[in-house]
Amino acid sequence: MVVVMRSQANDADVDKVVKAISEVGGDAFVSRGKNQTIIGLVGDVTQFTELPLHAFPGVEDVIRVSKPYKLVSNDAHPRPSTVWVGDVPIGRDTMTLIAGPCAVETEEQTEGACRMAVEAGAKILRGGAYKPRTSPYAFQGLGEPGLDIIHAVARDLDMPFVTEVVTTADVETVAAKADMLQVGARNMQNFQLLKEVGMAGKPVLLKRGLTATIDEWIMAAEYIAHTGNLQVVLCERGIRTYEPATRNTLDVSAVPVAQSLTHLPVIIDPSHSGGKRELVMPLIKAGIAVGADGIIVDVHPRPEVALCDGPQALVKDDIVQLRETVVRYAEAAERTLPTSDTPRREGAWGRSAAG
Ligand code: PEP
Ligand code: MN
């Protein structure tokens, strides 16, 4: 950390900062410039952050140099980690497709969408039973019966699935059946939910909040990691900008930025970002091109009657193109598609004893 003193600060002001730092066991290095003095702090940053240095007389600014997150930082773990969802890896060598309906509506619709996902080459299914909706009048999801439907369909197809959990009260119920828990964009800073989801011990898909900075998103991942659960996959799903032509703006640069800061896999959601079917394929291409570790995409057998997010769902006619696009772009990005033969690296990060 660096403390920048005001140009009017006197020696007594500088001494007060130096004394406070040494009292918490840190070292302070004073550099006196012509106009301004700066003080470099070395030691355990967590101790300095407790000090109200901003409020000290003569202090102009306090600048943090080291990253605020530790467990998910790639300083702590320079090799990218692989998160295993059932037997499916999500990591830097593979391109993992996750697909399914936005929401579980009926058995028939869920099965139809999941079969489309399989045909597209998806290795993990998705489907929301608990839906965080902007309007209280919109379909809120089927709840536990919906969870049972996606669970039964996934087991029938012998596939793992991810589903969202929106409140702490449902974590245990969802974790008992789902292979991966999703924390949605609207809950990215629901810290109690992050902690309880982390403690459930299952892999977590953490969506980026609509207005969250990359640092805030990674700090949310740190909350999960802090519970001892490092099986976190980050998902860039578009952020709120001034542009109304798309539902959200897919921040493609967030993929390499987040990958440069953390060891966690980063995937993209072209459905909730673009918000329109015709944008899904171009955004998938962009995501793979910038180095995403996977894609999560909405598909629906009859989007014209979908209860949630029909306009962005890919349809049956899109499936061959989806499959071929992922294959071609993954190959160009020198990634393999996970198969049942993908070696499961023992001891890899993100693998819990429970699997
Ligand atoms: C979803 O994936 O179903 C969803 C609601 O996404 P997000 O939280 O990114 O809006
Ligand atoms: Mn949706």
Side-chain angles (χ1 to χ4, degrees), residues 137-270:
Y137 306 112
F139 175 60
Q140 304 287 308
L142 297 179
E144 209 172 335
L147 180 65
D148 290 339
I149 292 175
I150 179 86
H151 180 245
V153 170
R155 292 299 168 262
D156 229 35
L157 295 169
D158 198 20
M159 304 255 297
F161 75 100
V162 56
T163 195
E164 182 164 353
V165 54
V166 297
T167 68
T168 53
D170 296 326
V171 170
E172 207 182 321
T173 309
V174 177
K177 297 208 166 122
D179 302 288
M180 183 182 219
L181 305 183
Q182 177 172 322
V183 174
R186 289 155 194 82
N187 266 321
M188 189 207 82
Q189 283 190 316
N190 182 338
F191 300 114
Q192 196 53 34
L193 182 65
L194 293 172
K195 287 188 222 170
E196 297 203 17
V197 160
M199 287 187 291
K202 290 278 171 101
V204 181
L205 181 62
L206 178 63
K207 296 266 193 127
R208 179 178 179 186
L210 278 74
T211 58
T213 64
I214 294 172
D215 261 2
E216 287 164 344
W217 182 29
I218 297 174
M219 282 307 278
E222 184 80 6
Y223 260 90
I224 299 166
H226 193 64
T227 67
N229 182 352
L230 279 147
Q231 311 169 89
V232 183
V233 173
L234 297 170
C235 178
E236 161 57 42
R237 47 78 71 207
I239 50 173
R240 175 74 49 93
T241 68
Y242 53 80
E243 179 52 66
T246 50
R247 183 176 178 181
N248 293 287
T249 299
L250 180 71
D251 180 6
V252 281
S253 49
V255 174
V257 171
Q259 287 172 338
S260 73
L261 297 171
T262 85
H263 56 84
L264 304 177
V266 183
I267 71 168
I268 62 139
D269 180 339

Side-chain angles (χ1 to χ4, degrees), residues 102-103 126 131 133 247 269 272 298 308-309 312:
C102 173
R126 63 148 290 152
K131 297 303 300 176
R133 304 302 300 277
R247 183 176 178 181
D269 180 339
H272 289 83
D298 287 4
C308 188
D309 289 348
Q312 69 195 30

